[in-house]
Amino acid sequence: MSKVLIIGAGHAGGSAAALLRQYGFEGEIVLAGQERAPPYQRPPLSKAWLKGEAGLEDLLLRPESFYAEQNIALRIGVTATAIDAGGKTVTFADGTVEAYDTLILATGSTARKLTLPGADRPDLLELRTLEDAERLKAVLAPGKRLVVVGGGYVGLEAAASARALGAEAVVMERMDRVLARVASQPLSAFFTDLHKKHGVEILTGAEVAGFEDAGVRLADGELIAADAVLVGVGAFACEALARTAGLACDNGVVVDETARTRDPHIYAIGDVTRRPIPVHGGVMHRLESVPNALEQAKQAASAIVGRAAPAPEVPWFWSDQYDVKLQIAGVPFDADRQLVRGDPASGAFSVFHLAGERIVAVEAVNAPADFMGGRLLISKGAPVDDVLLADPAVSIKAVAKTQA
Ligand SMILES: Cc1cc2nc3c(=O)[nH]c(=O)nc-3n(C[C@H](O)[C@H](O)[C@H](O)COP(=O)(O)OP(=O)(O)OC[C@H]3O[C@@H](n4cnc5c(N)ncnc54)[C@H](O)[C@@H]3O)c2cc1C
């Protein structure tokens, strides 16, 4: 009977273990991760859980009893340090060695650290794990002032949650707009307004020079006073373990469309991978999202049990801030223009990204029908009519051109 060893008990690793059993795998499964909690969901750490609207049990992917019931050996609090690909073993920091027939790497990503004076202060916060979130939650209260360095999704969500808890929030962004690396200009403008309306101070073009007892020092000498500072400046793939096996890494462990690395016995899934995206012509990209973790968990589990490969999915992502639900489908790699459907001032609109006649991405704000319809049109590669697409009175289903 063969043995699957999964390193990284996060969203991808936990899902792969469950799917292997669901698909009928009867061999041994060992799921090993360095955090001390069973696999849990990270999205609520900056949203519902941080605001106190969800408890610990709501975070868990599955109840803790699930793993024993499914005969999945869950080893938590253990760090894998090296892979011997020839001998098919993994060594852990505690000196133990685990053999495998098939290895799945699901080591995720880790918060990027700044290398500025004071960036190693123990009181600086980051938000990646449950432990990080517990530290952050402890400092959010009325009268406290949180300064968030980095205007990405996690930073903005944390600022919104801070406001919900009665704390003051300041978001500092080095670029000229928040979400600059990950969203269109209309979306950045909308979220800037939204946060300002909720009392968040947004500072763009803010270059941090260092961190001090009293707060964050800017390059122009100004001090931004803070009771707590959260650094949210992106994440990078935890690929060091994969490198010990000589696997190709290039801002992520390189895998194919079945999540397999160049070693036929080793798969990699989730945030740690750089993967082809079939709906975007197979372009290689690293995605950080729950849907991506689930899709690759399905790919690897299917390949391991010899089941037909799952249909390729359009990448997607969501973010919740205040009463706004943002849903994004596709990646605007080769987009040549943007088109706004609906009025941002109404609080519900979408930004479509097009390449030629095709939609390649949609950013939908409180517009679930645009998200669903846009995602379908991206997957079909259907040509669309710009005039119809820009008219919110026309159903999204009706914007595809009838093909001869
Ligand atoms: C605050 C926050 C909010 C988010 N919100 C959203 C959202 O709204 N929507 C969305 O789609 N995505 C969101 N994400 C991203 C999403 O959570 C990730 O894409 C997803 O968790 C990736 O799953 P993963 O299993 O690849 O990695 P992870 O969940 O990071 O799990 C990797 C695990 O591997 C462990 N590990 C690493 N190295 C080793 C080792 N050497 N040995 C043993 N274990 C190891 C890590 O400790 C970790 O537990 C959010 C992320 C964060 C942090």
Side-chain angles (χ1 to χ4, degrees):
M1 194 61 72
S2 66
K3 170 175 173 182
V4 177
L5 171 61
I6 304 171
I7 303 294
H11 218 120
S15 302
L19 283 165
L20 280 167
R21 284 287 181 250
Q22 191 184 317
Y23 294 168
F25 179 77
E26 290 178 350
E28 190 180 347
I29 302 175
V30 176
L31 174 58
Q34 69 188 6
E35 287 184 73
R36 299 203 172 270
Y40 63 90
Q41 314 174 57
R42 293 180 206 280
L45 297 183
S46 50
K47 313 177 184 76
W49 183 87
L50 191 55
K51 285 187 280 181
E53 293 169 359
L56 189 57
E57 59 292 349
D58 302 311
L59 294 184
L60 294 183
L61 277 190
R62 291 179 176 77
E64 200 167 353
S65 57
F66 169 86
Y67 301 94
E69 283 158 20
Q70 293 290 316
N71 197 18
I72 295 167
L74 179 62
R75 289 185 62 190
I76 52 178
V78 291
T79 303
T81 51
I83 301 168
D84 173 359
K88 291 203 201 165
T89 59
V90 172
T91 301
F92 291 85
D94 63 5
T96 55
V97 175
E98 193 88 55
Y100 65 83
D101 296 296
T102 304
L103 177 63
I104 301 179
L105 297 177
T107 47
S109 53
T110 190
R112 197 164 77 80
K113 316 252 187 263
L114 293 172
T115 51
L116 293 168
D120 55 353
R121 294 175 63 99
D123 56 352
L124 283 194
L125 301 167
E126 57 184 37
L127 184 48
R128 182 77 213 164
T129 65
L130 181 55
E131 278 179 26
D132 297 337
E134 280 166 345
R135 286 183 68 206
L136 173 61
K137 197 173 189 171
V139 297
L140 297 181
K144 297 289 180 191
R145 182 170 151 102
L146 174 72
V147 171
V148 179
V149 176
Y153 288 116
V154 169
L156 291 179
E157 288 173 355
S161 298
R163 294 300 296 139
L165 292 168
E168 286 176 40
V170 180
V171 174
M172 299 177 40
E173 169 56 52
R174 195 159 67 100
M175 314 276 275
D176 61 357
R177 60 184 174 98
V178 297
L179 302 175
R181 286 182 306 114
V182 288
S184 65
Q185 199 281 332
L187 210 70
S188 296
F190 174 82
F191 277 104
T192 299
D193 279 357
L194 180 73
H195 279 274
K196 284 184 174 170
K197 272 182 204 145
H198 282 85
V200 176
E201 198 179 332
I202 305 263
L203 304 175
T204 52
E207 189 73 45
V208 175
F211 301 94
E212 304 175 7
D213 284 348
V216 182
R217 180 74 61 184
L218 295 183
D220 65 8
E222 191 185 349
L223 180 79
I224 309 297
D227 294 302
V229 177
L230 170 66
V231 178
V233 290
F236 60 87
C238 296
E239 58 188 32
L241 182 65
R243 285 184 187 277
T244 68
L247 299 175
C249 296
D250 172 18
N251 179 26
V253 184
V254 176
V255 294
D256 66 14
E257 61 289 342
T258 67
R260 200 189 300 244
T261 67
R262 69 178 177 199
D263 180 325
H265 306 289
I266 306 181
Y267 293 80
I269 59 177
D271 279 17
V272 76
T273 66
R274 184 173 181 79
R275 51 158 295 185
I277 306 185
V279 293
H280 290 299
V283 61
M284 297 296 288
H285 195 60
R286 193 168 82 76
L287 295 165
E288 285 176 17
S289 74
V290 164
N292 171 64
L294 292 174
E295 183 189 16
Q296 289 190 296
K298 276 187 227 158
Q299 291 172 349
S302 301
I304 291 167
V305 302
R307 185 185 159 105
E313 292 175 20
V314 176
W316 68 277
F317 179 82
W318 80 92
S319 174
D320 298 324
Q321 295 166 47
Y322 311 106
D323 54 352
V324 170
K325 178 146 206 98
L326 167 69
Q327 293 165 297
I328 298 180
V331 190
F333 294 115
D334 51 353
D336 53 50
R337 65 192 184 286
Q338 292 172 8
L339 190 153
V340 178
R341 178 177 160 95
D343 179 7
S346 73
F349 71 104
S350 301
V351 181
F352 283 86
H353 299 254
L354 294 109
E357 293 193 300
R358 290 177 304 113
I359 300 170
V360 290
V362 55
E363 299 164 303
V365 173
N366 287 335
D370 285 3
F371 167 72
M372 297 293 284
R375 191 163 68 146
L376 191 65
L377 291 170
I378 296 168
S379 73
K380 285 184 170 168
V384 298
D385 184 309
D386 278 29
V387 177
L388 296 180
L389 184 60
D391 183 353
V394 176
S395 144
I396 194 82
K397 288 187 189 136
V399 304
K401 285 184 177 169
T402 32
Q403 285 166 293

